[in-house]
Amino acid sequence: MAMENFKQFLVALSAAAAVGVVSIIFVLRWALYYKGGLAWDGGLAEFNWHPVLIVIGFIFLQGMAIIVYRLPWTWQRSKLLMKFIHAGLNLVAFIFAVIATVAVFDYHNAAKIPNMYSLHSWLGLIAVILYCLQLVLGVGMFLLPFTPVSWRAAFMPLHVYSGLLLFTSVIAVALMGITEKLIFGLSNPPYKESPPEAIFVNVLGVLLVVFGALILWIATRTSWKRPSDQILHTLHTNGGGEDNTKVGPALSQLSDVTDAEACGDVRRRSNKLDD
C-alpha cells in the first residue's frame, strides 16, 4: 500500500541512518584514537566504553526502536512481531546503557574519583532508571495477552510521550557528558583553545543533535504512522479500493496504538472504502 509523501520519508530515514552510523564512527574514533582504546581494566580505557555504548545503544538503537513501526515494508507483517522487534531493540539499548554505567563506576572507584557528583551523572542515572521502567511497563501493557485493552489504550499516550522525552533527554545528557569530559580531560592545550580533539568531539555532538531531530521528525509525522491491522486486512481483502494512492492520508488519521482502540473508527472507514 502507498505511504503519503513516501519519497520524503525515504530521505528522512536515509539521513537518520547515515547520521547515526557516522556518529558511531566518530565515537569509536574518539575512543580508539584520542583516548587510548577500549579495555575492562579499571583504567581510562574502561571508561571509554561509556560514550561508545551510550551512542551505539542508548541513542542509535533507541532511535531505531522508535521509528520501527514507521517502516512501510513492515506494514504487512504481524503487529505482534513488530512489537517484539521494538521491545528487543529497546532491551539491547538498555543493556548497553547498564554496561556503560557500570564502566563509569568501575573507573571512578579504581581512580578514587567520587561518584554521582555532577548534574550529568544525576540525570544519566535517572534516565537509565526511567528507561528500565518504560521497558517493563511497555512489555507488561502491550506484550502480555491478558492485559485489558482499556489499560493499553489509556497507557499508550503516556508510553509514546515518555519514549520521546527519554530519547531527547538521553541526547541532552550525552552532550553534557561530552562537554564535561572535554573540559576535564584536555589540559595541554585546554578545551578553550579548540584543539583538534575538541573540534572533533564537538562535531560528534552536532551529529547527535541532528540524528535526534531526524528521529523525532519521522516519529511525529501522522501521515507516516503504521495503519491499523484491521484497515490493512480490509485493503488486502478489497484489493486496495479504486485508488490505492489515496489511502495514505485517510489512514494517517487512525491511531497505530492498539487495533482494539480504533475498532469503531475502523468499521466506519472500512464501509467508506467498500463504497
Side-chain angles (χ1 to χ4, degrees):
M1 63 174 296
M3 168 190 269
E4 184 180 5
N5 299 322
F6 179 65
K7 291 183 179 179
Q8 294 180 18
F9 172 80
L10 281 183
V11 171
L13 179 64
S14 300
V19 173
V21 170
V22 173
S23 298
I24 293 174
I25 294 173
F26 264 62
V27 74
L28 287 171
R29 172 73 172 175
W30 184 28
L32 298 176
Y33 179 75
Y34 288 104
K35 292 303 180 185
L38 299 168
W40 200 270
D41 55 4
L44 183 59
E46 180 175 345
F47 174 87
N48 292 341
W49 279 110
H50 182 71
V52 169
L53 293 179
I54 290 298
V55 171
I56 295 176
F58 221 14
I59 295 179
F60 181 75
L61 290 182
Q62 183 183 177
M64 293 297 103
I66 288 174
I67 64 172
V68 70
Y69 289 113
R70 297 295 189 267
L71 305 179
W73 309 282
T74 69
W75 287 356
Q76 298 297 334
R77 304 297 179 183
S78 165
K79 183 69 173 288
L80 181 61
L81 173 62
M82 300 313 300
K83 288 181 180 180
F84 274 110
I85 293 175
H86 175 75
L89 288 172
N90 278 302
L91 177 61
V92 174
F94 174 69
I95 292 172
F96 279 23
V98 170
I99 297 173
T101 304
V102 172
V104 172
F105 277 93
D106 277 357
Y107 168 70
H108 280 188
N109 293 336
K112 307 301 181 183
I113 300 175
N115 291 307
M116 303 301 298
Y117 66 87
S118 68
L119 181 60
H120 166 71
S121 60
W122 291 9
L123 295 178
L125 185 60
I126 290 173
V128 173
I129 294 172
L130 291 180
Y131 195 76
C132 178
L133 180 62
Q134 171 89 342
L135 184 60
V136 171
L137 289 177
V139 170
M141 286 289 180
F142 304 114
L143 287 180
L144 298 183
F146 52 79
T147 303
V149 172
S150 60
W151 289 18
R152 297 181 180 181
F155 181 71
M156 177 52 72
L158 178 61
H159 180 71
V160 172
Y161 172 79
S162 299
L164 296 179
L165 177 62
L166 278 170
F167 176 67
T168 306
S169 300
V170 166
I171 293 178
V173 174
L175 298 179
M176 294 171 61
I178 286 173
T179 303
E180 180 182 301
K181 186 62 179 175
L182 289 176
I183 292 174
F184 291 162
L186 297 178
S187 58
N188 187 26
Y191 179 45
K192 64 181 181 180
E193 295 184 9
S194 297
E197 180 181 349
I199 296 174
F200 182 84
V201 179
N202 283 346
V203 172
L204 169 61
V206 173
L207 289 171
L208 295 180
V209 172
V210 173
F211 176 74
L214 289 169
I215 293 297
L216 291 177
W217 178 259
I218 295 172
T220 55
R221 299 305 94 195
T222 56
S223 59
W224 293 345
K225 284 185 176 181
R226 174 189 169 97
S228 164
D229 282 354
Q230 299 209 11
I231 283 291
L232 290 173
H233 176 72
T234 299
L235 291 175
H236 178 73
T237 302
N238 296 341
E242 295 179 358
D243 187 359
N244 196 36
T245 61
K246 297 180 180 180
V247 176
L251 292 177
S252 67
Q253 300 175 17
L254 292 175
S255 171
D256 64 340
V257 173
T258 59
D259 295 335
E261 182 185 6
C263 278
D265 195 36
V266 166
R267 294 191 186 97
R268 290 192 295 272
R269 293 178 183 273
S270 298
N271 291 334
K272 291 180 181 180
L273 289 172
D274 290 336
D275 294 335

